[in-house]
Amino acid sequence: MLVLLPAYATLQKQTGSSLEYLKLLNNFDYTVYSDFMQNSQSAIDPLLSVGSWLGVLYLVGSIFFSGGILLSVSPSAELRQPFRLSRFLPACIQFFGRFFRLFLSISGLILVVAVFWMLVGFVVGTSLSDTANEKDMIWVFLICLFFFSLVTLFLLCVGDCAKILLFRHDETRVFLVFRQAMRLVWTHFLLIFGFYLLLMSMGAACFAIYFLIDSWIVTRGWLSIAALFLFQQLFIFSRVFLKVWTLATALQLVTSREGQPALYRPV
């Protein structure tokens, strides 16, 4: 809403009385879009910048609240108590630094994996350039994208398990715990990674349902806009629920594999 309200006022001012831009409400028209950006890009760029910063803020907030979420969903009887903000926020603050370092480490690994598969795709595409057609090149791209996505999901799964180990053992050595989490996931690959893929598939299904319903709703009045807004809030709630469910599932799986009580004690 911090972006959409100023964006609405800006779009009204930039479009004036033109009805051409109404074509963008329910279908994408590249001609209208390119003309608008050519004439009004200077007014739109600040809004895109604010949207990018809000995305970064959302990401940092997601990392920050992970410690409090893990404390709230912990299966340990010593940690499971009625929710209190006085317990939740200290756990968020205590684990934010190590969780953020873990995030930077995983991001670096994903970047390395992306560069690797880009090089693989480039080498394979170059070697087949004389004999392959465009369809073959697309298949090469899709295969490289598939393996990149699979490795990325594996690293994200290991990252969630590393969060659990950092929380359960109150550990600060991120790289050591990441290696332990990788061994744990690899040892119980079908169980842990299988559950992770199932939860990610549910998230992807939510996105698909959202875009499908969004294509059905014709936004030509305040009633349809309000219905779309309520549906978007429901989608946001489902994403938050899925985030908590993912951490709770990972915590339960790691706890059952380790078979020992948590060493963390709330401050």
Side-chain angles (χ1 to χ4, degrees), residues 23-253:
K23 296 179 180 179
L24 297 175
L25 283 176
N26 299 298
N27 294 288
F28 182 75
D29 190 314
Y30 182 76
T31 302
V32 176
Y33 169 77
S34 60
D35 289 344
F36 177 77
M37 292 303 295
Q38 184 176 358
N39 297 326
S40 308
Q41 187 170 2
S42 59
I44 298 299
D45 284 344
L47 297 174
L48 297 177
S49 177
V50 172
S52 301
W53 281 109
L54 285 176
V56 173
L57 182 63
Y58 166 79
L59 184 61
V60 173
S62 177
I63 298 171
F64 175 77
F65 289 117
S66 294
I69 293 173
L70 288 174
L71 178 64
S72 301
V73 300
S74 175
S76 174
E78 298 177 359
L79 301 180
R80 182 177 290 278
Q81 297 180 20
F83 177 83
R84 292 201 306 269
L85 199 62
S86 59
R87 298 178 73 247
F88 183 84
L89 288 181
C92 295
I93 296 171
Q94 182 176 354
F95 289 99
F96 175 71
R98 62 194 81 173
F99 285 175
F100 189 74
R101 294 199 305 273
L102 177 65
F103 164 76
L104 293 179
S105 302
I106 295 175
S107 299
L109 289 174
I110 291 176
L111 180 60
V112 171
V113 172
V115 172
F116 171 78
W117 284 108
M118 286 176 61
L119 291 175
V120 170
F122 175 78
V123 171
V124 174
T126 302
S127 63
L128 298 177
S129 59
D130 296 332
T131 58
N133 53 33
E134 293 182 356
K135 183 178 180 181
D136 296 330
M137 292 299 183
I138 292 175
W139 275 110
V140 170
F141 169 76
L142 291 177
I143 291 172
C144 291
L145 181 62
F146 170 78
F147 283 107
F148 164 72
S149 303
L150 193 63
V151 176
T152 299
L153 286 173
F154 176 77
L155 291 175
L156 293 176
C157 177
V158 173
D160 279 347
C161 290
K163 278 185 181 181
I164 307 304
L165 295 178
L166 288 171
F167 171 79
R168 281 176 52 78
H169 302 293
D170 199 12
E171 182 61 74
T172 59
R173 295 171 294 180
V174 172
F175 294 105
L176 174 64
V177 170
F178 184 81
R179 291 197 301 268
Q180 293 174 350
M182 183 168 290
R183 288 196 300 268
L184 180 66
V185 174
W186 194 254
T187 303
H188 308 283
F189 183 79
L190 293 179
L191 177 63
I192 298 179
F193 192 59
F195 267 107
Y196 191 82
L197 287 180
L198 177 62
L199 292 174
M200 292 302 101
S201 299
M202 294 175 63
C206 288
F207 271 104
I209 293 173
Y210 167 76
F211 287 120
L212 180 62
I213 296 180
D214 178 67
S215 65
W216 289 345
I217 299 177
V218 180
T219 52
R220 296 190 180 277
W222 284 107
L223 184 61
S224 58
I225 293 175
L228 182 60
F229 174 77
L230 291 176
F231 179 69
Q232 288 171 341
Q233 303 316 302
L234 179 63
F235 175 72
I236 293 172
F237 175 79
S238 66
R239 286 193 62 192
V240 174
F241 176 79
L242 186 62
K243 172 69 175 178
V244 176
W245 192 11
T246 301
L247 288 176
T249 302
L251 182 59
Q252 186 66 45
L253 290 174

Side-chain angles (χ1 to χ4, degrees), residues 3-22 24-25 36 40 43-44 47 222 225:
V3 178
L4 290 180
L5 292 178
Y8 178 71
T10 301
L11 291 174
Q12 275 192 323
K13 182 178 180 180
Q14 293 297 318
T15 57
S17 58
S18 174
L19 300 178
E20 189 70 12
Y21 302 105
L22 295 177
L24 297 175
L25 283 176
F36 177 77
S40 308
I44 298 299
L47 297 174
W222 284 107
I225 293 175

